[in-house]
Structure formats: structure tokens, C-alpha cells
């Protein structure tokens, strides 16, 4: 079974402008333009967090035709006045077929996607929902020699760790084990009304920050 690694973390927002404002307030930097995902009717902004890790702000693209299937990252369920939030994360595999087969949780169908010259395979549930409310990752396999983060502007930010909070922490631990994931990840029990959530710890030139 191939090992998986954190590839990127995703902020969902009703607009890219709203998501960019969250990034500016939390991290003190401006994410750069990404592009459009024509098949999904979405677009994004990007921020480098390392040589092979980045942050993505993703939103529905108001200029794109409405897709005939649910948008990914549960964007169709996002209210127009919803607050931007760190909603989920994506794990990279060199063999997505093998990783999906080994995974202890269903993560969706493997779909071919593209944005400009970039091409990749990614897991997407039929209904566009976030597996385990975003605590479980989407899986991605890039079809390129260089990771796209390497081409992003370097602001001196790096991902220190990603905390996964869930009412069933043992279930999340099994998931990570089944994918060969451990580096930069910790699992914590969530209680009360907190439910499932993510906390990203990011080193910046101004010191450590959280999302």
C-alpha cells in the first residue's frame, strides 16, 4: 500500500473574497490567484505552505454554468452568508486506486479533474459531501512531475501540524493508519456541540498562527 501525505488544506467560502479575508486576518498574507474548475463550476485561490503543501480557498464560480452534478467540498450546501472556514483537507497518494482500496472509510469515486495545464485524479462522493464532516480527507494523485505548490509564491509559511477533532477519535485513527498517514497529524476527541472540526497550525514570519 502506498503511503499518503498531507497535500493541501481547504477553506470553503461563499466567495473567494470572503475566503481571502479569513486568510489575511489569520495569517497576514494574501493568497494568490489559482484558476477555475470548469467541470465543477468552482474557482480558487492558493497559498504555499511548503514545497509540496498548500492552502486552497475554494468557492462556487458565479460566472460558470451550473454543473449537472453536485459541486465538491459540499459547496452547494453553503449559504450565501456562511462564514468561511477550514472545511477539509486532501491527502496525496502515488497510487490512488490502491489507497482507496485500503482505506477504512468510503471517500467517494475517483474522478479525473483539471485546472489549466494541471491534471489529477481525486475522490469525490456522489453527493459532493465532505466525508466524516471534513475530518476524512479527499485523496488526490497528481499527474505531473512537479508538485503545484513548488510554483507558488513563497511567503515563508509552513504547515506545522493539522489537528483532527471528531467524536469518534478511534475511527479517525484507523482511517489514518489505513492510508499510511501519521506525519503532521494528530487526532483529538471532540465533545459537546463542537462536533467534527480541523485546526491547522501554521508557522509564519510573525510567529505561529492557527486556522
Amino acid at each position: 500500500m502506498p503511503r499518503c501525505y498531507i497535500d493541501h488544506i481547504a477553506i470553503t467560502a461563499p466567495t473567494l473574497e470572503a475566503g481571502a479575508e479569513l486568510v489575511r486576518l489569520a495569517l497576514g498574507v494574501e493568497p494568490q490567484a489559482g484558476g477555475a474548475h470548469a467541470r465543477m463550476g468552482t474557482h480558487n485561490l492558493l497559498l504555499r505552505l511548503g514545497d509540496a503543501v498548500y492552502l486552497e480557498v475554494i468557492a462556487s464560480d458565479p460566472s460558470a454554468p451550473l454543473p449537472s452534478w453536485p459541486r465538491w467540498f459540499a459547496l452547494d450546501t453553503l449559504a450565501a452568508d456562511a462564514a468561511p472556514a477550514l472545511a477539509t483537507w486532501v491527502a496525496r497518494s502515488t497510487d490512488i486506486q490502491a489507497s482507496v482500496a485500503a482505506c477504512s472509510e468510503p471517500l467517494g469515486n475517483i474522478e479525473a479533474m483539471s485546472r489549466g495545464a494541471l491534471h489529477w485524479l481525486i475522490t469525490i462522493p456522489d453527493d459532493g459531501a465532505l466525508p466524516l464532516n471534513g475530518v476524512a480527507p479527499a485523496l488526490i494523485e497528481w499527474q505531473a512531475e512537479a508538485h503545484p505548490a513548488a510554483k507558488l509564491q513563497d511567503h515563508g509559511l509552513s504547515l506545522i501540524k493539522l489537528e483532527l477533532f471528531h467524536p469518534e477519535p478511534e475511527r479517525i485513527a484507523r482511517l489514518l493508519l489505513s492510508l499510511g498517514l501519521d506525519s503532521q497529524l494528530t487526532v483529538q476527541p471532540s465533545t459537546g456541540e463542537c462536533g467534527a472540526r480541523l485546526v491547522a497550525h501554521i508557522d509564519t514570519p510573525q510567529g505561529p498562527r492557527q486556522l
Side-chain angles (χ1 to χ4, degrees):
M1 180 192 74
R3 289 186 60 83
C4 294
Y5 303 88
I6 299 176
D7 188 80
H8 61 279
I9 58 177
I11 292 173
T12 58
T15 66
L16 290 186
E17 292 76 14
E21 179 65 11
L22 173 62
V23 174
R24 283 192 294 269
L25 291 173
L27 304 179
V29 295
E30 183 83 29
Q32 69 187 75
H37 313 101
R39 185 178 172 193
M40 282 291 166
T42 58
H43 55 176
N44 65 6
L45 301 172
L46 305 170
L47 182 64
R48 178 172 170 152
L49 298 179
D51 291 340
V53 185
Y54 65 94
L55 178 152
E56 175 182 39
V57 176
I58 189 164
S60 297
D61 184 351
S63 67
L66 183 68
S68 56
W69 41 75
R71 291 183 176 94
W72 49 10
F73 298 108
L75 286 171
D76 287 331
T77 67
L78 204 61
D81 60 349
L86 179 60
T88 192
W89 59 294
V90 179
R92 181 175 68 257
S93 173
T94 55
D95 186 341
I96 194 170
Q97 299 280 356
S99 294
V100 166
C103 189
S104 64
E105 298 284 344
L107 300 180
N109 302 315
I110 299 172
E111 302 285 351
M113 300 296 298
S114 65
R115 176 175 62 80
L118 286 173
H119 299 269
W120 65 93
L121 301 174
I122 190 168
T123 55
I124 307 173
D126 285 332
D127 60 0
L130 296 173
L132 298 182
N133 294 318
V135 174
L139 293 179
I140 194 168
E141 179 183 334
W142 291 102
Q143 298 176 322
E145 292 185 6
H147 193 276
K151 298 181 179 180
L152 299 176
Q153 184 176 354
D154 190 351
H155 292 279
L157 278 66
S158 61
L159 179 67
I160 302 170
K161 69 175 179 178
L162 181 63
E163 289 186 286
L164 313 177
F165 291 84
H166 195 271
E168 300 175 88
E170 298 85 1
R171 183 178 179 183
I172 305 305
R174 285 195 302 272
L175 167 64
L176 300 184
L177 182 63
S178 73
L179 293 173
L181 274 157
D182 54 15
S183 178
Q184 297 178 289
L185 289 157
T186 61
V187 181
Q188 307 285 352
S190 62
T191 57
E193 297 180 357
C194 292
R197 62 189 178 95
L198 308 177
V199 178
H201 297 258
I202 297 171
D203 195 22
T204 78
Q206 293 76 39
R209 301 285 181 89
Q210 290 185 11
L211 268 175

